Amino acid sequence: MVETISKFNLPFVSLADVEEFEKTPIEKWMPFQNVYDVFCAAVEQYAEKPALIALPPGDPMGDGKAITYRELLAKVNQTANLFLSAGLAKGETVTYLIPLCPQAYFTMLGAEAVGTVNAVNPLLEPEHILGIAEAANATILIATGQALSPELWEKAAYVIERMPNLKAVYVLGGGAECDGEKIFPYDEMIAKQDASAINGPRNDAPDDVIGYYHTGGTTGVPKLAPHTNRMQLSQIAMSGFGLGYSEADCLLAGLPMFHISGSIVVGLVPMINGVTLVISRPQGFRDPLVVGNYWRLIEKYGVTVLGGVPTMMSALLNVPVGDADISSLRAGLTGGSAAPVEVLKAISDLSGVPMLEGYGMTEVTCFTTMQPQNGEVRFGSVGLRFPFVEVKSAHIDENGNITRFADPEEIGEIIMKGVCVTPGYVQSDYNATAFTTDGWLRSGDLGRIDAEGYIWLTGRAKDIIIRSGHNIAPSIIEEALHEHPAVELAAAVGRPDTYAGEIPVAYVQLKPDAKVTPDELKDFARERIPERAANPADLTIIDEMPLTGVGKIFKPTLRHDAAVKVFSAELEPFNANGASIAVSVNNHPVHGSVATITVSGGDKAVLGEQITEKLGAYTLRHEVVWQG
């Protein structure tokens, strides 16, 4: 007899509801040993209900293709059997490089059942993709074929050539790439497998590792965080409670599967709770046709939860609701990066439902906090902690010891402990700084917790702008700029300065057709920024804000641009007498960021001394490259 999944959509008004939920042990809420078993239980309960609806190519308002829970289980079984037939063994990994599509769900659930799944951001450089696959011990690769994406196939080919130990490669939309010996067409091979059951050993134990998720990273190979059955099972209950998911819900799934936002937050967790996921085409929310039709898609499918990262919410503010009926919405959900308060307020007003901002990390499986859906929504906060996880603000010394927990309203580093926390990175060298000496996961985020338990993030410990020893949270600059009606996105970073170490500067992306000058924006921000030291010394209007694959603002690009401007201005006087000087700033595996000064022509000895004199006072390292 298959266990029945509990109903988690209970009242969530205050911290008292969290504590009441915790009185029942997590094993009672989630009486399963592994993710595959709980998925089978969901299929028993929701067999003929659509689990996935894939939007069609071309017009997203066309008729989508529905896959019921029962049909999805059949595909998962076939996919797991395909991997077993290729020789996948426990401890080995299926790495996949395919976009948002039904096959990504088959792969995730099938690989988790019999091995370890490792979804990789296909936008990464080929050498990073290779490094992740090698670190994950990948023996099977799922790739996008030449006909669907020449660029993605080129990256896959790079990996295949350098990983001779791959047992098999399965190609989505495969054609001429498939040699019938090692490289095969994915869909054709799945169709040949038994759909009734998994015919081989499975990951049955709670602490079996079933997933490796990379955390991003700007230098070297991104860190890989293992997910266990226990971690993901706990999140089904925790997030199910926090978000109030039930079989009455329908979500528009547009976040990439290589990130926990797409795979867990709006993937596995709602699916096990009986939710229908409408898959919004391969590009997800990066597809302008999807965003442009968002409100109409809500009406067409009866979407109940408005979800996306903050940058996507900003984009939606430019899309009129018009005559679309969006009354099916019951709540909004955002996370992944700090959301500007003005954006949260505006999207709440536009949609008619409160935006519930949450907080989590790859290392804690998905969310660990959320605004209470039935309680007071405090914009600017990431809400209350979820059940079965401790979230604290603490002071930590240089050796990783907690010297004391912060008082209410006092800023410290946010740390977490609970069943949802990863046992440690695959690359174990990172673990010493990832955890305190007594086992708390260090988020790297600064924040405070108020008397009612609401958690307020105040910035990244490493994202803080330090001006003459004074810590400035970029968020206070960004919040001020987001109040301006012409601003769609704003980001503040530190610019190198010989006196103060660094000073704040800002970058702004305007709304379509908006017109405003940098000086007007600086004046506007200065009237609203509470401390003079935080006033941006410079403001740059850019056409498009650099974003990560999941829509977060990618600040390293902006920091590098700010440094290039400073160093270029310093060295401009030396562009004379046949000399030409160019500046670039890039990531360095040891020093973080390094400025490269490329010089051609001129007197090498004289220019060398002048460059050293000008740039030696900056904390940002520089290297001179002589050409000619």
Side-chain angles (χ1 to χ4, degrees):
M1 177 180 172
V2 178
E3 291 276 3
T4 300
I5 301 170
S6 299
K7 300 294 185 182
F8 304 120
N9 56 326
L10 305 172
F12 181 19
V13 177
S14 68
L15 197 56
D17 295 310
V18 175
E19 294 166 346
E20 182 64 28
F21 191 89
E22 288 174 321
K23 289 179 181 178
T24 300
I26 185 71
E27 294 80 11
K28 296 285 187 182
W29 284 116
M30 187 52 57
F32 301 90
Q33 297 296 299
N34 56 76
V35 169
Y36 179 79
D37 283 349
V38 75
F39 175 61
C40 289
V43 172
E44 284 289 317
Q45 289 181 244
Y46 312 114
E48 304 310 320
K49 183 179 190 287
L52 306 174
I53 300 175
L55 295 185
D59 181 6
M61 293 302 297
D63 292 334
K65 176 179 172 54
I67 299 173
T68 67
Y69 272 82
R70 192 181 303 281
E71 290 169 337
L72 179 57
L73 175 59
K75 288 294 186 182
V76 170
N77 288 341
Q78 288 179 308
T79 305
N81 286 329
L82 175 64
F83 298 153
L84 290 171
S85 71
L88 183 72
K90 194 169 182 177
E92 296 179 346
T93 302
V94 177
T95 291
Y96 72 93
L97 283 169
I98 56 178
L100 189 61
C101 60
Q103 290 88 340
Y105 293 87
F106 309 162
T107 300
M108 178 181 76
L109 291 166
E112 284 195 344
V114 296
T116 305
V117 72
N118 171 225
V120 179
N121 181 358
L123 300 179
L124 291 175
E125 293 301 315
E127 58 268 23
H128 280 183
I129 296 172
L130 173 64
I132 291 171
E134 289 177 332
N137 189 29
T139 57
I140 293 177
L141 180 69
I142 314 297
T144 303
Q146 175 84 17
L148 296 180
S149 173
E151 180 186 1
L152 291 188
W153 173 248
E154 185 177 335
K155 291 181 178 182
Y158 178 93
V159 174
I160 294 166
E161 181 182 346
R162 290 160 178 79
M163 291 191 72
N165 293 330
L166 286 173
K167 296 178 179 179
V169 177
Y170 299 107
V171 181
L172 187 64
E177 312 92 335
C178 300
D179 57 17
E181 297 179 4
K182 186 174 185 177
I183 306 174
F184 307 93
Y186 189 27
D187 290 329
E188 289 181 28
M189 296 300 291
I190 288 176
K192 296 177 181 179
Q193 300 297 320
D194 180 13
S196 64
I198 294 177
N199 303 313
R202 296 197 287 112
N203 286 322
D204 288 331
D207 292 317
D208 283 345
V209 173
I210 59 173
Y212 289 141
Y213 288 88
H214 63 79
T215 62
T218 57
T219 61
V221 176
K223 293 178 286 188
L224 283 179
H227 282 195
T228 64
N229 274 313
R230 189 188 307 276
M231 290 168 64
Q232 292 193 0
L233 287 170
S234 70
Q235 279 295 337
I236 293 166
M238 293 161 59
S239 293
F241 164 78
L243 298 167
Y245 284 141
S246 76
E247 66 270 25
D249 282 319
C250 177
L251 300 183
L252 190 57
L255 297 173
M257 295 284 285
F258 62 78
H259 191 273
I260 56 163
S261 298
S263 58
I264 308 298
V265 177
V266 293
L268 179 66
V269 171
M271 188 182 296
I272 299 301
N273 283 280
V275 177
T276 296
L277 303 181
V278 179
I279 308 172
S280 55
R281 294 154 48 102
Q283 287 181 277
F285 292 146
R286 300 174 74 90
D287 187 333
L289 285 176
V290 171
V291 175
N293 286 283
Y294 195 95
W295 306 116
R296 295 172 64 211
L297 287 166
I298 288 175
E299 177 180 5
K300 181 178 176 72
Y301 292 102
V303 172
T304 58
V305 178
L306 166 66
V309 293
T311 48
M312 182 244 182
M313 295 295 113
S314 295
L316 275 182
L317 291 175
N318 300 313
V319 180
V321 174
D323 58 1
D325 180 359
I326 60 172
S327 59
S328 60
L329 289 175
R330 66 171 178 85
L333 166 65
T334 190
S337 61
V341 171
E342 294 304 315
V343 170
L344 292 175
K345 290 179 179 177
I347 199 71
S348 295
D349 290 342
L350 183 64
S351 65
V353 295
M355 288 303 298
L356 307 176
E357 186 175 3
Y359 171 70
M361 299 170 61
T362 303
E363 294 86 344
V364 295
T365 325
C366 72
F367 280 121
T368 52
T369 80
M370 181 63 64
Q371 294 274 6
Q373 55 169 317
N374 310 114
E376 180 186 355
V377 176
R378 300 183 181 181
F379 290 123
S381 162
V382 293
L384 305 168
R385 71 171 180 87
F386 275 176
F388 305 110
V389 62
E390 294 181 83
V391 182
K392 301 284 188 182
S393 178
H395 297 280
I396 303 169
D397 67 20
E398 64 275 10
N399 298 315
N401 300 306
I402 298 173
T403 56
R404 67 179 180 86
F405 291 110
D407 294 327
E409 303 288 5
E410 182 185 12
I411 293 175
E413 183 177 344
I414 299 298
I415 56 176
M416 290 167 279
K417 182 184 284 188
V419 291
C420 61
V421 176
T422 186
Y425 296 111
V426 171
Q427 304 100 321
S428 57
D429 290 348
Y430 291 115
N431 291 331
T433 54
F435 297 89
T436 66
T437 53
D438 53 354
W440 289 80
L441 177 70
R442 303 183 63 173
S443 70
D445 290 312
L446 301 177
R448 58 185 173 83
I449 303 176
D450 66 23
E452 289 75 40
Y454 283 78
I455 297 154
W456 303 78
L457 301 182
T458 57
R460 287 286 295 170
K462 62 183 180 183
D463 194 32
I464 291 296
I465 301 167
I466 305 176
R467 180 174 188 165
S468 298
H470 176 62
N471 289 356
I472 300 169
S475 58
I476 66 172
I477 303 168
E478 294 160 357
E479 291 287 1
L481 287 166
H482 273 109
E483 291 183 30
H484 195 285
V487 172
E488 179 162 323
L489 297 173
V493 297
R495 183 181 77 186
D497 186 78
T498 56
Y499 173 73
E502 57 182 357
I503 55 177
V505 296
Y507 289 80
V508 166
Q509 176 183 319
L510 299 180
K511 294 178 180 178
D513 301 321
K515 297 188 183 302
V516 66
T517 68
D519 285 341
E520 288 171 340
L521 286 175
K522 281 199 294 184
D523 290 342
F524 180 88
R526 283 170 182 157
E527 293 175 0
R528 290 160 177 79
I529 293 173
E531 52 180 309
R532 174 187 269 180
N535 289 333
D538 187 35
L539 188 145
T540 303
I541 295 175
I542 55 178
D543 292 335
E544 189 173 354
M545 194 70 73
L547 304 175
T548 67
V550 293
K552 296 182 184 180
I553 294 176
F554 191 61
K555 287 192 173 181
T557 297
L558 302 179
R559 291 193 194 96
H560 292 175
D561 181 76
V564 166
K565 288 179 178 178
V566 171
F567 279 19
S568 296
E570 290 277 29
L571 301 179
E572 176 57 32
F574 307 139
N575 278 304
N577 301 321
S580 176
I581 301 175
V583 180
S584 64
V585 178
N586 295 288
N587 293 307
H588 189 281
V590 176
H591 304 303
S593 294
V594 170
T596 300
I597 316 302
T598 304
V599 185
S600 59
D603 188 314
K604 184 174 180 179
V606 172
L607 283 173
E609 289 184 9
Q610 291 174 328
I611 291 170
T612 299
E613 182 180 353
K614 276 289 185 184
L615 303 185
Y618 290 93
T619 56
L620 177 65
R621 288 174 176 261
H622 73 274
E623 297 175 349
V624 180
V625 176
W626 303 94
Q627 293 185 340

